[in-house]
Amino acid sequence: MKNMLNVKPKSQLFPIPMIMGCEGTASSMLLNYYGKQIDATYIMKHWPRHDNNPKKGYVGNHFFVKFGHHQTIFPNVLAEFLNQFDDDIVDGTGTELSELEKHIEKGHPVVIYHTILGQSPIKKTFKIESKGKEYITNIHVTLLVGFDDDYYYYIDPLWKQWKGMVIYPALWPSKKQIIKIRKNKMRTSFNHPGKMCVYKKI
């Protein structure tokens, strides 16, 4: 049986291309789903920032790539920031995908961190506050919106999928941003970066 939430897709490339704006766009979709009309641009303008530590704030600029940096914001900081719009949003890091299915069943989408399009994880050491720290570098942040017996479905702020195969940039929002991925592939993609996610408490 297929469980699918009706979430309106947003693109990080529309109307202004935000090349590194997946976290803010996925968060905006989450808030909009709950009736909070908060734009991705507002989120990314006001969230905490840090020079190099994503556990303390967003690293870099969402408009362009900052080479040599782990350019993201981790769920602990992101969830705390989103609390100003919804008190029940929490850092769900460590939650198994099978448990996230319960959130979908109860009508709650989940912001998830995983490798881009389910790619094999790529490790890289970054300088974090003068110390070397290894992270999965090819992470991407999307919104988990559905599942069935064999697949997970997520809205990708950056990519579209045509007929379950062809991938191309999401130059404008559409339902084609709902990406279908086999469950075992998503587990690897989600687990390796650390089972990082943000959701509304159920």
Side-chain angles (χ1 to χ4, degrees):
M1 181 178 175
K2 189 174 181 179
N3 289 270
M4 183 71 71
L5 301 179
N6 185 23
V7 180
K8 186 177 180 180
K10 285 190 165 190
S11 168
Q12 68 190 73
L13 302 178
F14 180 90
I16 303 169
M18 298 177 288
I19 304 303
M20 303 300 289
C22 58
E23 301 92 345
T25 307
S27 297
S28 179
M29 282 191 280
L30 180 73
L31 292 173
N32 291 177
Y33 177 77
Y34 294 120
K36 317 286 185 181
Q37 298 308 312
I38 309 298
D39 290 335
T41 50
Y42 181 90
I43 292 171
M44 292 183 281
K45 183 178 180 180
H46 293 93
W47 60 15
R49 296 180 178 275
H50 195 271
D51 287 341
N52 54 45
N53 191 346
K55 288 185 176 180
K56 293 186 176 180
Y58 183 79
V59 176
N61 188 302
H62 55 277
F63 288 114
F64 54 84
V65 177
K66 187 175 184 179
F67 293 102
H69 292 74
H70 195 35
Q71 196 167 346
T72 187
I73 182 172
F74 278 175
N76 62 309
V77 188
L78 180 59
E80 184 177 2
F81 173 76
L82 297 179
N83 276 166
Q84 65 185 284
F85 310 111
D86 191 321
D87 291 342
D88 291 328
I89 291 178
V90 297
D91 174 6
T93 297
T95 308
E96 299 288 345
L97 273 171
S98 57
E99 286 295 309
L100 295 183
E101 292 181 17
K102 296 177 182 177
H103 288 258
I104 302 297
E105 287 176 331
K106 292 182 182 292
H108 298 291
V110 182
V111 173
I112 56 173
Y113 291 61
H114 58 100
T115 59
I116 300 169
L117 298 169
Q119 295 172 354
S120 297
I122 299 172
K123 295 181 179 180
K124 184 176 178 181
T125 299
F126 296 93
K127 188 177 181 181
I128 309 292
E129 296 186 280
S130 78
K131 295 182 180 180
K133 176 73 175 176
E134 187 177 77
Y135 286 116
I136 303 297
T137 186
N138 58 331
I139 61 166
H140 187 39
V141 179
T142 68
L143 192 69
L144 185 68
V145 295
F147 70 94
D148 58 27
D149 290 341
D150 302 308
Y151 294 92
Y152 286 110
Y153 301 84
Y154 63 87
I155 299 177
D156 196 313
L158 184 59
W159 300 104
K160 292 182 180 181
Q161 186 179 53
W162 183 64
K163 293 189 176 181
M165 296 182 295
V166 181
I167 302 294
Y168 57 101
L171 298 179
W172 61 88
S174 84
K175 290 289 186 181
K176 288 186 173 62
Q177 288 173 250
I178 300 175
I179 307 290
K180 174 181 175 182
I181 182 171
R182 287 200 170 272
K183 282 189 166 182
N184 59 348
K185 188 174 184 179
M186 178 55 101
R187 274 190 289 270
T188 300
S189 180
F190 175 70
N191 290 354
H192 271 87
K195 303 177 186 176
M196 296 190 290
C197 59
V198 173
Y199 51 65
K200 188 179 179 80
K201 287 187 290 188
I202 58 174

